[in-house]
Amino acid sequence: MFKRWLTAVMMTGMALHAMGQVTKAAFGKMPDGQGVDIYTLKSPQVEAKVMTYGAKLISIKTADRTGKVADVMLGFDTLPEWLKDKTYNGAVVGRYGNRIALGQFKIDGQTYQVPTNDGPNALHGGPVGFDKKLWTAKQVPNGVELTLISPDGDMGFPGKLTAQVTYTLKGSALRIDYRMTTDKATVVNLTNHTYFNLTGGTEDILGHQIRINANHYTPTSKTLIPTGNMDVVEGTPMDFRTAHAIGERISANFEQLTVAGGYDHNWILNGPNGVMKLAAEVVEPKSGRTLTVTTTEPGVQFYSGNFLDGSLTGRGGVKYTKRMGLCLETQHYPDSPNKPGFPTTLLKPGEVRTSSTVFTFGVAH
C-alpha cells in the first residue's frame, strides 16, 4: 500500500515537474478588449515564448559557445508592437501559407477567390489570415496547444477548418505539430514564419552558413509564383547541398535572385513527403550557434529577409533592415492548388492532415 502511494506521489511529482517547465502570463489586450496570453516553455538549453495572438513564437533564447544567452529570433517587447508588425514574424500563417496566384483556385470545378494582398497574388491566407487571429490555448506537457476554428468562407476559403498547433520543448528541440480537419473540401498549407538571427540580432544574417537538403527548387515568375518547373540546383547559386554563407552568392547575376531580390524560394526536400527528414542546417560562425530544421513537409521556403526595410525597431532598439533575419518555412509548395504536378494541399471531410517540424538549437565549437 505504501509503495503504491509512494509511486503515485513520485509520478505526480514527475508530471508536475514536466508541466512546471511551462508557465502562463497575461501579455496585454487586443483593441476589442480580449486578453492575450504568453506561454513560456523552458528547458536547460532553450527558453521559448508563444503568444495566443497569431499562435506566434515571440522569443527563443539559447546560449552561444561562451555560454552567453541571447534571443535568436527577431521580435518586440510589447503587444502593441507585435500588433503593428506586418512581416508575419513568428506566426502560424494560413489558411494557405505562401502564395496563391491571383488569389484563385478551383475545387471540383468551382472557383474560389481569396483577397489579394501581395501584388496580384494572395499571400499567407490573405489580408486577415491566421496570423491576425486570437487562438485559444491550453497547457500540455512540455508545451502549449493552440486551436483556431476558421469558418466557412473565411477569406474566401471553403469549409469550416479546425486547426490545432502544438509547440513542445524538450532539451534543445522545439517541435511544432500541426493538425487540421474540415467539413468541406478546402486547401490548407500551414507553416511557421519565424525570423531567425543566430547572432542574437546584433548583425545581419549574411555571414550565416546554411545547408539545404534539396537537389531541386521551384523557380518563380516575377511575382514570385512558381512556374511549375522543378529545376536542379546544381551549378547555380541555389545549390546549398554543401554549406555556403548566405551572402556569398546572394548578389550573383542569376535571374531568380534578381527577381526575388535575394533568396525567397521553395526548395524540394530530398526524401518522401510525410516522413521526418533534414530540411536545413544553419551555423553562425562567430557565436557558434546552430539551428537544425527537420520536417515531414515536402518543401522549405528559405527567405533572406529581402523586404525588411528598417521601418520596424525591435528588441534593444535594433532596426530591422534588409537581411536582418532569415526564415525557413517548412511547407507544401506555393500555388499548389493551381499546379497539378505539385503535392496536393487539398483536404477533404473525414481526413486529418498532420505535419511536424522540429527546430533544434546547438553550438559548434
Side-chain angles (χ1 to χ4, degrees), residues 251-263:
S251 299
N253 184 20
F254 184 69
E255 182 185 13
Q256 286 297 304
L257 293 177
T258 303
V259 162
Y263 295 106

Side-chain angles (χ1 to χ4, degrees), residues 2-18:
F2 175 77
K3 286 184 177 180
R4 287 202 302 270
W5 173 83
L6 182 61
T7 300
V9 169
M10 290 175 65
M11 291 181 68
T12 301
M14 290 171 65
L16 287 172
H17 176 71

Side-chain angles (χ1 to χ4, degrees), residues 94-357:
R95 185 177 299 196
Y96 196 95
N98 217 305
R99 294 172 176 87
I100 298 177
L102 304 179
Q104 295 181 355
F105 58 91
K106 289 183 178 181
I107 298 177
D108 297 329
Q110 182 174 345
T111 299
Y112 295 91
Q113 178 71 56
V114 180
T116 56
N117 59 330
D118 184 54
N121 306 313
L123 176 66
H124 297 325
V128 187
F130 288 6
D131 60 295
K132 295 178 179 65
K133 302 291 181 69
L134 194 61
W135 296 56
T136 60
K138 69 175 182 179
Q139 188 172 326
V140 297
N142 301 305
V144 58
E145 178 187 280
L146 300 111
T147 302
L148 179 69
I149 297 176
S150 174
D152 184 20
D154 188 10
M155 285 289 103
F157 290 95
K160 183 176 80 171
L161 182 83
T162 300
Q164 288 184 331
V165 179
T166 303
Y167 293 90
T168 52
L169 177 63
K170 294 182 180 179
S172 58
L174 178 62
R175 182 181 177 109
I176 311 177
D177 291 297
Y178 303 87
R179 185 182 190 276
M180 296 141 279
T181 57
T182 184
D183 66 356
K184 185 178 179 181
T186 191
V187 294
V188 61
N189 186 29
L190 300 189
T191 188
N192 181 276
H193 203 286
T194 294
Y195 283 80
F196 295 101
N197 186 318
L198 300 184
T199 70
T202 59
E203 301 178 27
D204 63 35
I205 49 86
L206 293 177
H208 288 51
Q209 297 174 353
I210 186 168
R211 182 167 81 90
I212 301 176
N213 179 32
N215 297 333
H216 298 81
Y217 75 104
T218 52
T220 71
S221 68
K222 291 182 179 179
T223 64
L224 303 183
I225 292 295
T227 62
N229 294 335
M230 301 183 188
D231 286 3
V232 296
V233 299
E234 186 174 1
T236 77
M238 316 302 278
D239 189 350
F240 287 97
R241 292 174 298 171
T242 58
H244 290 269
I246 293 171
E248 180 182 335
R249 301 169 298 176
I250 200 168
S251 299
N253 184 20
F254 184 69
E255 182 185 13
Q256 286 297 304
L257 293 177
T258 303
V259 162
Y263 295 106
D264 191 6
H265 296 79
N266 170 69
W267 272 258
I268 299 170
L269 297 176
N270 298 331
N273 183 15
V275 175
M276 190 65 77
K277 55 194 168 292
L278 176 67
E281 295 175 326
V282 184
V283 178
E284 200 290 296
K286 292 182 180 179
S287 67
R289 292 189 183 95
T290 66
L291 167 63
T292 301
V293 183
T294 54
T295 188
T296 61
E297 290 281 6
V300 63
Q301 185 90 3
F302 166 40
Y303 171 52
S304 54
N306 311 327
F307 300 115
L308 297 175
D309 60 6
S311 61
L312 295 172
T313 301
R315 283 187 278 263
V318 176
K319 293 278 188 183
Y320 290 155
T321 53
K322 192 174 183 178
R323 319 282 195 228
M324 278 301 291
L326 69 93
C327 299
L328 290 165
E329 305 156 64
T330 55
Q331 61 179 12
H332 276 58
Y333 311 161
D335 201 35
S336 287
N338 297 309
K339 300 290 190 297
F342 288 180
T344 183
T345 54
L346 184 67
L347 179 64
K348 297 179 180 179
E351 297 177 344
V352 179
R353 172 81 54 76
T354 61
S355 72
S356 301
T357 294

